[in-house]
PDB file of all heavy atoms in Angstrom:
ATOM      1  N   PRO A 605     -28.235 142.747 140.328  1.00  0.00           N
ATOM      2  CA  PRO A 605     -28.529 144.167 140.018  1.00  0.00           C
ATOM      3  C   PRO A 605     -28.936 144.965 141.271  1.00  0.00           C
ATOM      4  O   PRO A 605     -28.663 146.228 141.295  1.00  0.00           O
ATOM      5  CB  PRO A 605     -29.764 144.102 138.972  1.00  0.00           C
ATOM      6  CG  PRO A 605     -30.147 142.760 139.164  1.00  0.00           C
ATOM      7  CD  PRO A 605     -29.117 141.889 139.662  1.00  0.00           C
ATOM      8  N   HIS A 606     -29.532 144.348 142.328  1.00  0.00           N
ATOM      9  CA  HIS A 606     -29.738 145.088 143.564  1.00  0.00           C
ATOM     10  C   HIS A 606     -28.523 145.335 144.423  1.00  0.00           C
ATOM     11  O   HIS A 606     -28.309 146.465 144.833  1.00  0.00           O
ATOM     12  CB  HIS A 606     -30.844 144.300 144.332  1.00  0.00           C
ATOM     13  CG  HIS A 606     -31.108 144.839 145.698  1.00  0.00           C
ATOM     14  ND1 HIS A 606     -31.743 145.974 145.902  1.00  0.00           N
ATOM     15  CD2 HIS A 606     -30.776 144.383 146.906  1.00  0.00           C
ATOM     16  CE1 HIS A 606     -31.758 146.168 147.291  1.00  0.00           C
ATOM     17  NE2 HIS A 606     -31.185 145.148 147.792  1.00  0.00           N
ATOM     18  N   ASP A 607     -27.765 144.340 144.584  1.00  0.00           N
ATOM     19  CA  ASP A 607     -26.584 144.371 145.487  1.00  0.00           C
ATOM     20  C   ASP A 607     -25.460 145.188 145.030  1.00  0.00           C
ATOM     21  O   ASP A 607     -24.887 145.951 145.757  1.00  0.00           O
ATOM     22  CB  ASP A 607     -26.102 142.843 145.695  1.00  0.00           C
ATOM     23  CG  ASP A 607     -27.063 142.162 146.576  1.00  0.00           C
ATOM     24  OD1 ASP A 607     -27.862 141.626 145.870  1.00  0.00           O
ATOM     25  OD2 ASP A 607     -26.934 142.154 147.791  1.00  0.00           O
ATOM     26  N   GLN A 608     -25.338 145.359 143.639  1.00  0.00           N
ATOM     27  CA  GLN A 608     -24.314 146.233 143.188  1.00  0.00           C
ATOM     28  C   GLN A 608     -24.562 147.688 143.444  1.00  0.00           C
ATOM     29  O   GLN A 608     -23.661 148.438 143.383  1.00  0.00           O
ATOM     30  CB  GLN A 608     -24.149 146.005 141.633  1.00  0.00           C
ATOM     31  CG  GLN A 608     -25.324 146.582 140.856  1.00  0.00           C
ATOM     32  CD  GLN A 608     -25.174 146.186 139.333  1.00  0.00           C
ATOM     33  OE1 GLN A 608     -24.889 145.070 138.969  1.00  0.00           O
ATOM     34  NE2 GLN A 608     -25.351 147.248 138.437  1.00  0.00           N
ATOM     35  N   LEU A 609     -25.799 148.039 143.896  1.00  0.00           N
ATOM     36  CA  LEU A 609     -26.098 149.377 144.246  1.00  0.00           C
ATOM     37  C   LEU A 609     -25.598 149.748 145.629  1.00  0.00           C
ATOM     38  O   LEU A 609     -25.444 150.971 145.928  1.00  0.00           O
ATOM     39  CB  LEU A 609     -27.513 149.702 144.097  1.00  0.00           C
ATOM     40  CG  LEU A 609     -28.167 149.409 142.709  1.00  0.00           C
ATOM     41  CD1 LEU A 609     -29.759 149.748 142.761  1.00  0.00           C
ATOM     42  CD2 LEU A 609     -27.544 150.243 141.650  1.00  0.00           C
ATOM     43  N   GLY A 610     -25.409 148.719 146.492  1.00  0.00           N
ATOM     44  CA  GLY A 610     -24.935 148.951 147.797  1.00  0.00           C
ATOM     45  C   GLY A 610     -26.072 149.559 148.718  1.00  0.00           C
ATOM     46  O   GLY A 610     -27.115 149.879 148.207  1.00  0.00           O
ATOM     47  N   PRO A 611     -25.694 149.694 149.997  1.00  0.00           N
ATOM     48  CA  PRO A 611     -26.700 150.246 150.868  1.00  0.00           C
ATOM     49  C   PRO A 611     -26.941 151.767 150.621  1.00  0.00           C
ATOM     50  O   PRO A 611     -26.058 152.427 149.962  1.00  0.00           O
ATOM     51  CB  PRO A 611     -26.101 150.034 152.357  1.00  0.00           C
ATOM     52  CG  PRO A 611     -24.704 149.572 152.088  1.00  0.00           C
ATOM     53  CD  PRO A 611     -24.482 149.332 150.612  1.00  0.00           C
ATOM     54  N   HIS A 612     -27.923 152.308 151.097  1.00  0.00           N
ATOM     55  CA  HIS A 612     -28.302 153.811 151.027  1.00  0.00           C
ATOM     56  C   HIS A 612     -28.323 154.182 149.493  1.00  0.00           C
ATOM     57  O   HIS A 612     -27.845 155.202 149.162  1.00  0.00           O
ATOM     58  CB  HIS A 612     -27.260 154.653 151.712  1.00  0.00           C
ATOM     59  CG  HIS A 612     -27.592 154.789 153.236  1.00  0.00           C
ATOM     60  ND1 HIS A 612     -28.856 155.270 153.620  1.00  0.00           N
ATOM     61  CD2 HIS A 612     -26.935 154.529 154.349  1.00  0.00           C
ATOM     62  CE1 HIS A 612     -28.825 155.268 155.017  1.00  0.00           C
ATOM     63  NE2 HIS A 612     -27.769 154.848 155.447  1.00  0.00           N
ATOM     64  N   ALA A 613     -29.185 153.431 148.847  1.00  0.00           N
ATOM     65  CA  ALA A 613     -29.192 153.776 147.326  1.00  0.00           C
ATOM     66  C   ALA A 613     -30.400 154.706 147.042  1.00  0.00           C
ATOM     67  O   ALA A 613     -30.802 154.759 145.942  1.00  0.00           O
ATOM     68  CB  ALA A 613     -29.282 152.439 146.584  1.00  0.00           C
ATOM     69  N   ALA A 614     -30.868 155.505 148.016  1.00  0.00           N
ATOM     70  CA  ALA A 614     -31.964 156.511 147.721  1.00  0.00           C
ATOM     71  C   ALA A 614     -32.968 155.962 146.732  1.00  0.00           C
ATOM     72  O   ALA A 614     -33.563 154.971 147.129  1.00  0.00           O
ATOM     73  CB  ALA A 614     -31.258 157.700 147.204  1.00  0.00           C
ATOM     74  N   ARG A 615     -33.116 156.525 145.663  1.00  0.00           N
ATOM     75  CA  ARG A 615     -34.104 156.094 144.654  1.00  0.00           C
ATOM     76  C   ARG A 615     -33.571 155.136 143.629  1.00  0.00           C
ATOM     77  O   ARG A 615     -34.178 155.124 142.543  1.00  0.00           O
ATOM     78  CB  ARG A 615     -34.886 157.253 144.031  1.00  0.00           C
ATOM     79  CG  ARG A 615     -35.559 158.177 144.953  1.00  0.00           C
ATOM     80  CD  ARG A 615     -36.858 157.601 145.457  1.00  0.00           C
ATOM     81  NE  ARG A 615     -37.836 157.672 144.437  1.00  0.00           N
ATOM     82  CZ  ARG A 615     -39.054 157.073 144.610  1.00  0.00           C
ATOM     83  NH1 ARG A 615     -39.378 156.369 145.674  1.00  0.00           N
ATOM     84  NH2 ARG A 615     -39.981 157.118 143.686  1.00  0.00           N
ATOM     85  N   GLY A 616     -32.415 154.477 143.940  1.00  0.00           N
ATOM     86  CA  GLY A 616     -31.847 153.633 142.974  1.00  0.00           C
ATOM     87  C   GLY A 616     -32.824 152.391 142.635  1.00  0.00           C
ATOM     88  O   GLY A 616     -33.340 151.884 143.596  1.00  0.00           O
ATOM     89  N   HIS A 617     -32.905 152.049 141.375  1.00  0.00           N
ATOM     90  CA  HIS A 617     -33.833 150.913 140.963  1.00  0.00           C
ATOM     91  C   HIS A 617     -32.877 149.831 140.450  1.00  0.00           C
ATOM     92  O   HIS A 617     -32.068 150.081 139.500  1.00  0.00           O
ATOM     93  CB  HIS A 617     -34.722 151.379 139.864  1.00  0.00           C
ATOM     94  CG  HIS A 617     -35.807 152.192 140.221  1.00  0.00           C
ATOM     95  ND1 HIS A 617     -37.096 152.042 139.668  1.00  0.00           N
ATOM     96  CD2 HIS A 617     -35.918 153.149 141.262  1.00  0.00           C
ATOM     97  CE1 HIS A 617     -37.909 152.884 140.398  1.00  0.00           C
ATOM     98  NE2 HIS A 617     -37.306 153.612 141.328  1.00  0.00           N
ATOM     99  N   LYS A 618     -33.151 148.599 140.898  1.00  0.00           N
ATOM    100  CA  LYS A 618     -32.281 147.569 140.292  1.00  0.00           C
ATOM    101  C   LYS A 618     -32.454 147.434 138.814  1.00  0.00           C
ATOM    102  O   LYS A 618     -31.660 146.933 138.071  1.00  0.00           O
ATOM    103  CB  LYS A 618     -32.404 146.214 141.150  1.00  0.00           C
ATOM    104  CG  LYS A 618     -33.806 145.575 140.925  1.00  0.00           C
ATOM    105  CD  LYS A 618     -33.760 144.307 141.827  1.00  0.00           C
ATOM    106  CE  LYS A 618     -35.053 143.655 141.596  1.00  0.00           C
ATOM    107  NZ  LYS A 618     -35.777 142.854 141.930  1.00  0.00           N
TER     108      LYS A 618
END
Side-chain angles (χ1 to χ4, degrees):
H606 169 70
D607 292 87
Q608 70 186 46
L609 302 179
H612 274 306
R615 298 285 287 171
H617 284 216
K618 66 177 184 188

